[in-house]
Structure formats: structure tokens, C-alpha cells
Amino acid sequence: MKSKLDKKQIAAILKEMAVLLEILGENPFKVRAHENAARVIEGLPNLEELVARDALISVKGIGEAMAKKVKTLMETGELPAHQRLLEKVPPGVLEMIKIPGVGPKKIRTLWQELNIISVDELEEACSKNLLAELKGFGKKTQENILRNIAQYRRFRERHLISDALQAARELVSALSTLSVIERCDIAGSLRRRKETVKDIDLVVSAAPEHRNDIMNFFVSLPEVDSITMKGETKSTVVLTSGISADLRIVSDDQYPFLLHHLTGSKEHNVALRQHALQLGLKISEYGLFKGEEMLPCNDEAELFQKLGMQYIPPELRENMGEIEAALAHRIPKLIELEDLLGIIHVHTNWSDGVNTIEEMARACMERGYQYLAISDHSQAATYANGLNEERIRQQHAEIDDLNTRLTPFRILKSIECDIMADGSLDFPDEILSLFDLVIVSVHSRFNMSEEEATQRIIRAMENPFVTILGHPTGRLLLARDGYPLNQSKVIEAAARLGVAIEINANPHRLDLDWRMCRYAIQKGVKLSINPDAHRIEGLKDVEYGVGIARKGWVEKKDVLNTWSAEEVLNFARNRHS
Ligand code: DGT
Ligand code: CA
Ligand code: ZN
């Protein structure tokens, strides 16, 4: 049987049940049973196998009833007991759990005492000072909650690129079934591959007589939840995913200008218009004009050409020097997805991943890669079932065996080694020397000063067995800012020490940030575009990492995993031999 949910998803449902039970004021033992089970399950390396053998009950912390629940979740993807709880608690009440500082007990009080059933109502109550006198709250808590609601809103207004890109591509492929549509593209920040986006901007060209039909088709697509605005040339809808999408329709001769305008960024547009004015030209979303005369362009490339400059790839359009570079014909040839020869940094079921080493390796082979570096967690990461020395040796034996069977494909032995609070590493050098390459990352003690955190990371990179610094800032997009870090100093140290820096391509991270990538490559630091995949599907995330790299002006030569396995091995060895 293939599980419908992975262990993270199952644990998330159990955690949510614990929260719901506590909000409902149920037996604390029942609450704790769900919390414990969630924690235990997250750490199990072989959940699927245990369930298949009906052996989950033998695991400490899992009772008979809980084992049944987990089995049902695996087999069906849902659980009646969970559904029943959801019916008892209004969605807005549960949503309040997302506000830091607001736990289940507080939510229960707010709901029971003040009848608050949404984040909006909670905010209103705070501004009316209603929480100041409430038992278990007080003035300070009230202020905290207000601040945290503001931050929650700020995050919620934007979306991860992965969610938006998938939704936008589905809309484009639906629209593309209409034969009356001549051209159709994604524009806006999504086309520029910003790390998060406010909305989806789509552009279509078609003859005027077809506009109505196209708009009717667009607003009645199954993924549309509500229509914000419907007009003949512009409509806005909200998708069921909560992302809002704009569609603009123009005639085909105006298409390149509207596409360019809506791709932005606003700052790029303003600067480009400025440049056009110097040539006696005017650009707008409607066209390129010399006086009253319109200068036709077939596509964006021709538009840039008529402005006397090189084509500027969308990712660079942030008014960060791209216009000057295009005028001087110095736009670099940016890295492309096809340039990646190997995958570095994936987790397997040896630590907190879902798939086996062999499954991950075969998935990479099918996708045309030449090598895969397995980087499971190290022993300090107990929550993620990190590997100790003994398990490392066992894992290496398995990799050696697979390598003889899968050749010429190559599995590299790697580890995502925790950086301890003082900047030392989770393993001594004798063990680090067993690996082909070592990634080091921070996963604990985020509450350091900038100075301390920076020193901690630099100290870790000084170890000669370190090959790559993983997700340098530790940020989680739309959820958590990174620890304060002097990124310039870290980059300068990486350059001096010959350590590569990861562009963690997981859409929740995209860390190193693109704004710093450019500084890194200027300093000669190699970047590594890594999916940090915890399951096969995660491998595709490298696409987002490539987008971020392109935004950072990164070329093929700057990226470690555009090299052959042998070259990557040499890079790692050169640091300590
Ligand atoms: P977002 O949606 O916040 O992630 O970022 P964008 O860049 O997609 O922004 P959006 O959706 O508000 O507008 C799409 C594009 O339209 C934007 O990149 C450039 C263009 N645009 C919007 N407002 C202005 C403006 O006031 N002046 C100029 N020149 N262009 C604008
Ligand atoms: Ca947008
Ligand atoms: Zn990590």
C-alpha cells in the first residue's frame, strides 16, 4: 500500500487535533496523547512499514486507538474524528492559532468569554482594550497579540512562488485550449521569479470580438472561487487557493508592450521609460512611440532592440543595474535549469525524508542527472532522526552497494551536519572525513545577536571538511525571519575559505537571498542550487532555486552542481588535502 499522506502530514493532523481538543476544553490526557503521537510519528524512520505490519502499537507513545487513527489517515488521507472536531470549532477560531502568542487555552477563553470567532474580531477586541482585564491576558499580552496579528497579515498578503506558479500554469494551460487566444503569458513578480508574490498577473492577446468569450471562460474556471471584478479587457478573480489572479486582454500588436509593462518591476519600468525619453521615444503599456507614430514590435526582444539595448531577462528587471548593463551589452548569460548536472542535498528515510536512497537516486537518473549527494541530518538533529556514527557507516555501505549497481550514476556521501551554538560541528573531523562532501547548517538556537550568529557560522566554515554552507539565514518565507546575520561577512569568509554557499531551493526558504547572490559571485564564492528535498517530488524545487540564482545574475560557471561529480569531489577535497 502506498500511503496517502507522509508522516509530516499525519503529524500535522494529529497536532491540529490536539489544538482542537484543547480549544474544546477536552480531557488534557487526550490532548497530550495526540501531541505525543505527532512528535513520535515525525521521528519514525519507518512509519509505513510499521503500519503495514500492524506494529505501530509497539512504539512507545502510541496506543491502540492512536495506531488505528494513523492507519486510517495513511489509507484514506482523512480521519472522521478529525472531521468531527473541525465541525465543532469555527474555522476563524482555529485560525487564531496561527498568531504567535495565542495558544489553545487563550483561544478557548476568547471564544467563550468574548465570543471572538475570527482574527479580525480578535484585533478589534485588542484595539478596544477588551483583553486588558481578561483572565490570563493583560495589557502586555494584548499589545503583543496586536503586533503579531499585523505580522501575520503582512505574511498572508503574499504567496510562495511554488503555489502561485503552479496555479498560474494551470490557468495558462486552461486558457491555451481556446483557439481564439493568440498569445498568453504569466507576467508580474511571478515572471520575475520573486521569492514571494502578491498575485498572479496574466496577459492574453486576441481579437476584440473574442474578449467577452475569453473573460466568461476565465471567470468560470473551476479553480475560481469568487469574481472580484469582471470587465471586457481586465478581470480579477480569487482562486480557491486564496491567490488572486488578474487577466488582461489586448490586441496582438499591443501584446509585447503590455507584457513588458505588467512584468515590471515598477522601478524597472520607470527607469526604462526614462531611458526611452532620452532617445526621444515614449513607452507605455500601449506601445512604443516616436511623437505620434507608433513603432511596432513583434515581441519584447524587439522592444529592447529598438531602445538600443540587449534583451533583459525578466528575472533581472528590478532596476538594479540591468538597464546600464543591457546598454553596454554586458547582460550575462544566466544559468538555466538544464545546466544542473547533479543534485546536492536531499534527505532520505534514513533521517526525516520519505523515500529510500535508491528511490531518490533512480528519480534523479530518470530526470537526467549524473549524480546525487545524500545529505541526511546529523545526530544533534534528534527531532529529524539524525544519523550517529554507526548509522553513517551503515548508510555508506548501502551507498557503496548502490553505486556498483547504478553506475555510471554516482551517489555521493554527504551529510547536513548541524552547527552547534559555539560554531563547532556535530561530528569530529575523523567522522567528517568519511564524507565526499559536507553541508553545515544551523537548526537550533536562533536567538543570538548578529555578531554571535555571524561568528558562529564563520567558525563552522573554518573547518576544512566543510564544503557548503546550507540555508545561510534560516529564514522561512511568510513564516519566520532568519536569524540576524551579517551576510556580507559570511560571504567574505566563504570566499576566503573556499566554502560554497547553498541556494536552498525549497520554496519556503530560497536562502541565500537573490539580493546577496550577486555579491557572493562577485567575491568568487561558488553557489550550489540544492532542493533540500525530503521526498521525490521535492527534486523539482531546483527550478525555484534557478529562478533565484538568475535574479542574482548567476551564471553557469558560478554554480557547483553544474560541474561533473569528479569536479565537485575535487572542490571538496581541495579544502582539506
Ligand atoms: P507583486 O504583485 O506585489 O508580487 O509584484 P508585481 O511586480 O507583480 O506588482 P503588481 O501586480 O502590482 O503590478 C504588476 C506590474 O505592473 C508591475 O510589476 C509593474 C506594473 N505596474 C504596476 N503599477 C505601476 C506603476 O504605478 N507604474 C509603472 N510604471 N508600472 C506599474
Ligand atoms: Ca503581481
Ligand atoms: Zn536544514
Side-chain angles (χ1 to χ4, degrees):
M1 183 213 49
K2 197 78 198 149
S3 173
K4 286 249 164 89
L5 301 175
D6 66 42
K7 63 183 181 182
K8 276 212 170 117
Q9 293 169 313
I10 291 172
I13 289 176
L14 296 177
K15 270 185 224 163
E16 185 171 280
M17 289 178 76
V19 169
L20 289 162
L21 289 163
E22 202 170 354
I23 291 175
L24 290 165
E26 298 244 1
N27 183 338
F29 290 106
K30 207 166 161 187
V31 173
R32 213 158 322 131
H34 284 80
E35 279 170 358
N36 286 342
R39 201 170 33 242
V40 170
I41 280 171
E42 261 184 337
L44 283 177
N46 55 344
L47 178 65
E48 248 176 72
E49 180 220 336
L50 286 173
V51 172
R53 286 198 287 117
D54 273 323
L56 193 56
I57 189 166
S58 68
V59 176
K60 190 164 171 274
I62 309 266
E64 195 177 335
M66 195 59 69
K68 255 198 194 139
K69 284 178 184 163
V70 174
K71 189 167 182 191
T72 309
L73 279 167
M74 273 203 154
E75 286 171 350
T76 68
E78 50 187 36
L79 185 67
H82 179 226
Q83 301 301 329
R84 280 197 297 276
L85 289 171
L86 284 173
E87 278 162 25
K88 287 187 195 160
V89 178
V93 171
L94 182 60
E95 192 190 355
M96 287 191 267
I97 197 75
K98 294 189 181 146
I99 313 294
V102 184
K105 283 202 185 64
K106 286 202 169 69
I107 294 176
R108 179 171 169 79
T109 311
L110 292 165
W111 186 19
Q112 299 229 313
E113 305 288 319
L114 299 179
N115 206 18
I116 291 173
I117 58 160
S118 70
V119 174
D120 284 349
E121 289 179 13
L122 175 58
E123 185 176 34
E124 200 188 322
C126 289
S127 41
K128 284 185 185 156
N129 204 25
L130 294 179
L131 272 58
E133 303 297 317
L134 196 62
K135 191 168 165 268
F137 290 79
K139 252 203 143 55
K140 218 174 144 197
T141 310
Q142 179 172 272
E143 275 163 28
N144 256 331
I145 292 178
L146 260 184
R147 217 182 9 255
N148 291 339
I149 290 177
Q151 168 168 339
Y152 171 65
R153 289 254 166 71
R154 181 162 60 84
F155 284 153
R156 203 183 42 177
E157 277 163 13
R158 300 191 68 82
H159 304 275
L160 296 178
I161 186 176
S162 44
D163 297 337
L165 198 55
Q166 191 192 338
R169 282 177 174 160
E170 280 165 16
L171 294 175
V172 168
S173 65
L175 287 166
S176 302
T177 60
L178 300 180
S179 57
V180 292
I181 287 182
E182 290 168 61
R183 288 190 263 185
C184 176
D185 280 289
I186 299 168
S189 49
L190 198 50
R191 184 164 180 237
R192 302 198 313 278
R193 296 295 190 265
K194 274 287 287 285
E195 64 277 26
T196 62
V197 304
K198 180 193 69 192
D199 62 356
I200 295 169
D201 301 283
L202 299 174
V203 199
V204 153
S205 69
E209 63 268 28
H210 300 305
R211 284 176 188 161
N212 245 324
D213 289 346
I214 295 171
M215 281 306 182
N216 286 334
F217 177 82
F218 176 63
V219 301
S220 41
L221 284 170
E223 47 270 66
V224 170
D225 183 61
S226 65
I227 303 170
T228 313
M229 188 207 84
K230 182 168 176 255
E232 200 182 319
T233 59
K234 179 177 175 183
S235 294
T236 304
V237 298
V238 180
L239 306 175
T240 47
S241 56
I243 307 177
S244 139
D246 270 3
L247 174 65
R248 294 274 302 265
I249 310 180
V250 279
S251 59
D252 203 58
D253 56 335
Q254 285 183 355
Y255 185 82
F257 307 105
L258 184 67
L259 175 63
H260 176 268
H261 171 81
L262 286 180
T263 298
S265 64
K266 191 171 149 187
E267 293 74 15
H268 165 90
N269 289 354
V270 170
L272 197 70
R273 278 168 198 202
Q274 217 55 47
H275 165 71
L277 285 177
Q278 287 171 8
L279 302 177
L281 301 171
K282 195 173 161 274
I283 332 169
S284 74
E285 57 185 288
Y286 307 108
L288 176 66
F289 301 91
K290 185 163 195 153
E292 294 297 298
E293 182 200 355
M294 169 155 165
L295 308 178
C297 293
N298 280 318
D299 49 28
E300 279 187 334
E302 206 177 332
L303 171 61
F304 284 112
Q305 200 187 349
K306 288 213 160 93
L307 293 168
M309 56 174 71
Q310 236 180 325
Y311 176 77
I312 302 177
E315 295 91 340
L316 296 187
R317 300 182 198 168
E318 300 288 349
N319 193 29
M320 289 173 71
E322 74 277 12
I323 293 177
E324 296 75 3
L327 284 167
H329 285 258
R330 284 214 198 96
I331 296 281
K333 184 170 168 3
L334 301 178
I335 175 143
E336 292 177 27
L337 192 52
E338 293 68 34
D339 293 332
L340 301 186
L341 296 188
I343 293 284
I344 297 176
H345 195 173
V346 308
H347 296 261
T348 69
N349 62 356
W350 280 80
S351 68
D352 61 345
V354 172
N355 295 100
T356 63
I357 301 177
E358 179 162 1
E359 285 166 345
M360 288 309 251
R362 290 197 183 275
C364 287
M365 292 167 78
E366 280 164 24
R367 287 159 181 73
Y369 294 109
Q370 299 175 5
Y371 57 94
L372 163 68
I374 299 288
S375 316
D376 275 309
H377 285 285
S378 63
Q379 57 194 8
T382 46
Y383 59 90
N385 193 29
L387 305 185
N388 58 18
E389 180 179 351
E390 191 192 331
R391 292 182 65 227
I392 286 168
R393 292 189 190 275
Q394 290 165 359
Q395 188 184 54
H396 286 187
E398 181 175 331
I399 292 177
D400 288 336
D401 172 54
L402 280 167
N403 270 334
T404 54
R405 284 165 42 211
L406 301 181
T407 182
F409 186 82
R410 184 86 184 262
I411 304 173
L412 305 183
K413 296 165 185 162
S414 176
I415 187 97
E416 184 179 16
C417 181
D418 265 40
I419 301 177
M420 314 312 277
D422 63 358
S424 63
L425 298 179
D426 193 10
F427 289 122
D429 288 359
E430 305 86 81
I431 298 192
L432 293 177
S433 69
L434 301 174
F435 296 100
D436 293 323
L437 62 104
V438 172
I439 302 176
V440 290
S441 328
V442 167
H443 290 117
S444 59
R445 281 289 309 278
F446 291 170
N447 53 343
M448 287 187 168
S449 71
E450 179 178 311
E451 175 66 26
E452 282 177 314
T454 306
Q455 280 317 312
R456 174 189 190 181
I457 287 182
I458 293 177
R459 175 157 177 231
M461 290 194 300
E462 280 166 353
N463 182 301
F465 290 98
V466 172
T467 320
I468 302 172
L469 171 65
H471 48 71
T473 75
R475 75 176 179 190
L476 290 177
L477 290 166
L478 309 184
R480 177 180 86 199
D481 292 327
Y483 29 84
L485 188 69
N486 187 328
Q487 295 189 60
S488 308
K489 271 196 184 157
V490 169
I491 287 169
E492 287 150 18
R496 173 169 54 83
L497 296 163
V499 171
I501 296 183
E502 169 175 273
I503 297 179
N504 189 297
N506 183 307
H508 291 274
R509 294 190 182 272
L510 300 176
D511 175 17
L512 189 67
D513 189 274
W514 57 271
R515 297 160 189 85
M516 297 308 294
C517 287
R518 205 166 162 198
Y519 184 61
I521 57 173
Q522 278 165 1
K523 290 281 159 196
V525 174
K526 294 291 169 228
L527 299 171
S528 187
I529 301 178
N530 301 345
D532 194 0
H534 286 70
R535 44 169 57 228
I536 288 171
E537 297 89 281
L539 293 172
K540 71 166 184 344
D541 290 352
V542 285
E543 179 192 356
Y544 313 124
V546 169
I548 288 301
R550 288 171 63 88
K551 280 195 92 53
W553 296 63
V554 172
E555 300 173 52
K556 182 178 170 184
K557 67 171 172 53
D558 303 315
V559 177
L560 195 64
N561 50 327
T562 64
W563 298 354
S564 68
E566 210 46 57
E567 287 168 312
V568 171
L569 288 172
N570 280 334
F571 177 84
R573 270 187 224 123
N574 279 342
R575 282 214 67 217
H576 53 81
S577 59

